Amino acid sequence: MLNFPIYLDNHATTPMDPRVLDVMLPYFKESFGNAASRNHSFGWVAEEAVEKARKQLAGLIGATSKEIVFTSGATESNNLALKGVAEMYAQKGNHIITAATEHKAVLDTCKRLEKHGSRVTYLPVQTNGLVDLDMLRDAITDKTILVSIMYGNNEIGVVQSIAEIGSICRERGVLFHTDGVQAVGKIPVNVNTDNIDLMSFTAHKMYGPKGVGALYVRRKNPRVQLTAQMDGGGHERGMRSGTLNVPGIAGFGKAAELCQQLLPEEMLAHGALRDRLKEKLMAELDETYINGTMDSRLPHNLNISFAYVEGESLLMGINDIAVSSGSACTSATLEPSYVLKALGAGDDLAHSSIRFGIGRFTTQEEVDYTAGKVIEVVRKLRELSPLYEMVKEGIDLSKVQWAAH
Ligand SMILES: *Cc1c(COP(=O)(O)O)cnc(C)c1O
């Protein structure tokens, strides 16, 4: 039995696992204490829940509890990492290196830092979506204090060579931050073998609640220091003031524990469903292109451009399936995705792309329905496309002299 609409947008957010909700509920009710209250059992119970979650998160990424700083989500974690390092290490240098395909929470933070005197290098990516490591090496200068390159991309699922990037940074004495939102809980991530100094992640992309995230901050070899971006009670070892979201944090911890337990089987299962979807679409539709390399990719991600089809019409045609398109994904504007453009995709292909995100609750039946529906709608739209018809007649569109428009 299929339930509609079908949810295949697990990069935007994931549904909460019911086991996570069960762990959270008592902290909304009888166990409502403030984790910073030291004088009574309400506070102790809350603090115990927070410390348990800290251990669960640390366990998932190979860190220690003291290296976990709770935040309101990965947007805040990225802001704290970049701004906190820029301010703390201002004496050492003012140069930051990032990539063109980062999430807006990194790119816009860099834009802000540029207004305050930082110099930022935005590395281009190769057509496969990967950063060129030689280019990264060449970009590092005496003034470089931080490299921020995401682990897995939220649009095209490409997984960067994180351990190598980390080792390049370490050799040169530069801190390495990664936005780990899409990777943590989905593929093995270990801050030690991956040479990571700072890492952002968030509960609602791993079957936990919205509004709670974390920043991993390395304590040893090297010890990373941050300037707090919020003034107040000095919570989280002075790095992030504010009363902790105890129910959210307890849920985040449970979500991490579940991801750690399920990761090996989920990687295989989600990868198999993704490949099934990909193979059906590619077998039935021509002029269809996969964005980003398949060789280094999150198992649950598929991003495909259907040439000669307008993305918005395609989305409308499959409106019983929740997915994202390569346009309009950041705002109400119909800008083609800057991530796809960074891979060298033309506006047309960027506009005609769909991101599919498999999740914990996705079934094979849903994948098969989706494949069938997409194939049907793409064929229908192409029947109406004069361009597609010309291509099928063997006309080279690049040689056509178009009338002025
Ligand atoms: C969703 C997402 C974020 C933002 O996380 P929030 O917790 O929603 O603030 C940051 N980076 C990436 C890669 C994301 O996918």
Side-chain angles (χ1 to χ4, degrees):
M1 254 291 288
L2 282 169
N3 280 315
F4 293 101
I6 292 170
Y7 190 71
L8 284 180
D9 202 15
N10 284 282
H11 299 286
T13 193
T14 50
M16 211 157 69
D17 191 300
R19 291 165 286 189
V20 168
L21 180 63
D22 289 344
V23 166
M24 293 172 69
L25 286 175
Y27 301 99
F28 285 113
K29 297 193 280 188
E30 63 278 7
S31 305
F32 57 81
N34 184 330
S37 296
R38 289 281 149 78
N39 303 312
H40 50 69
S41 63
F42 293 92
W44 304 331
V45 167
E47 191 190 12
E48 200 179 308
V50 168
E51 292 317 309
K52 179 174 182 188
R54 225 185 273 285
K55 260 206 202 97
Q56 289 166 314
L57 292 187
L60 177 61
I61 62 169
T64 62
S65 293
K66 284 186 172 168
E67 295 174 311
I68 303 293
V69 173
F70 286 113
T71 65
S72 63
T75 298
E76 186 189 340
S77 299
N78 285 338
N79 272 264
L80 176 56
L82 273 67
K83 292 174 181 170
V85 165
E87 209 174 322
M88 177 60 75
Y89 295 87
Q91 296 297 316
K92 186 168 179 259
N94 68 342
H95 182 222
I96 295 171
I97 299 171
T98 187
T101 49
E102 292 294 310
H103 191 270
K104 286 287 182 194
V106 165
L107 292 178
D108 288 354
T109 301
C110 286
K111 290 268 171 318
R112 168 80 63 172
L113 284 168
E114 283 181 296
K115 286 191 186 139
H116 295 285
S118 292
R119 212 167 62 68
V120 181
T121 300
Y122 301 90
L123 293 175
V125 295
Q126 306 169 85
T127 51
N128 62 8
L130 293 170
V131 167
D132 180 333
L133 298 187
D134 286 327
M135 215 176 239
L136 169 64
R137 278 190 197 92
D138 292 344
I140 297 176
T141 74
D142 294 348
K143 292 273 176 241
T144 310
I145 50 172
L146 181 70
V147 169
S148 180
I149 305 280
M150 73 202 316
Y151 212 120
N153 186 273
N154 49 297
E155 287 192 38
I156 52 176
V158 166
V159 175
Q160 300 289 345
S161 312
I162 291 299
E164 282 173 87
I165 293 172
S167 119
I168 292 169
C169 292
R170 201 145 289 172
E171 257 167 48
R172 304 287 296 269
V174 173
L175 294 178
F176 175 41
H177 166 256
T178 187
D179 177 339
V181 169
Q182 297 288 341
V184 172
K186 314 291 170 54
I187 57 174
V189 169
N190 183 299
V191 292
N192 294 314
T193 52
D194 288 337
N195 305 312
I196 294 166
D197 298 319
L198 297 126
M199 179 166 71
S200 307
F201 52 120
T202 190
H204 79 97
K205 307 274 176 94
M206 44 191 275
Y207 311 98
K210 290 166 187 60
V212 58
L215 180 64
Y216 159 77
V217 184
R218 179 170 287 282
R219 298 248 298 169
K220 252 197 349 223
N221 308 317
R223 181 184 180 88
V224 178
Q225 291 180 287
L226 287 180
T227 305
Q229 298 300 303
M230 194 118 67
D231 297 307
H235 306 71
E236 298 298 274
R237 285 172 291 111
M239 287 189 259
R240 200 278 192 176
S241 287
T243 299
L244 292 177
N245 170 1
V246 178
I249 288 169
F252 194 4
K254 182 65 183 179
E257 181 193 290
L258 289 170
C259 280
Q260 191 171 358
Q261 278 167 11
L262 299 172
L263 192 143
E265 63 183 87
E266 287 196 331
M267 271 183 74
L268 288 175
H270 297 177
L273 286 178
R274 187 270 314 274
D275 291 343
R276 185 180 175 94
L277 178 60
K278 179 188 80 162
E279 272 144 34
K280 281 177 187 280
L281 295 174
M282 300 302 280
E284 294 295 321
L285 297 169
D286 60 356
E287 300 287 343
T288 295
Y289 307 95
I290 295 171
N291 297 307
T293 181
M294 289 303 295
D295 298 335
S296 179
R297 196 182 191 103
L298 298 168
H300 59 301
N301 172 280
L302 185 62
N303 189 308
I304 298 198
S305 290
F306 303 92
Y308 312 108
V309 168
E310 212 266 307
E312 294 303 304
S313 315
L314 177 51
L315 279 194
M316 225 113 72
I318 59 167
N319 65 2
D320 51 0
I321 305 163
V323 290
S324 281
S325 82
S327 51
C329 89
T330 44
S331 65
T333 61
L334 267 180
E335 275 293 296
S337 148
Y338 65 90
V339 172
L340 297 180
K341 288 183 81 170
L343 303 191
D347 282 9
D348 286 356
L349 277 181
H351 271 306
S352 72
S353 79
I354 299 276
R355 174 185 71 181
F356 302 93
I358 308 287
R360 180 168 295 166
F361 306 105
T362 306
T363 64
Q364 183 169 306
E365 207 183 353
E366 289 177 329
V367 163
D368 290 349
Y369 175 86
T370 300
K373 188 74 183 247
V374 171
I375 291 164
E376 176 197 321
V377 173
V378 168
R379 283 190 181 142
K380 215 178 272 169
L381 291 171
R382 281 179 175 173
E383 273 169 29
L384 307 171
S385 161
L387 288 181
Y388 183 70
E389 200 174 307
M390 288 167 79
V391 170
K392 288 292 104 179
E393 284 164 6
I395 298 169
D396 182 348
L397 291 184
S398 66
K399 301 227 167 70
V400 175
Q401 299 273 316
W402 302 103
H405 48 202

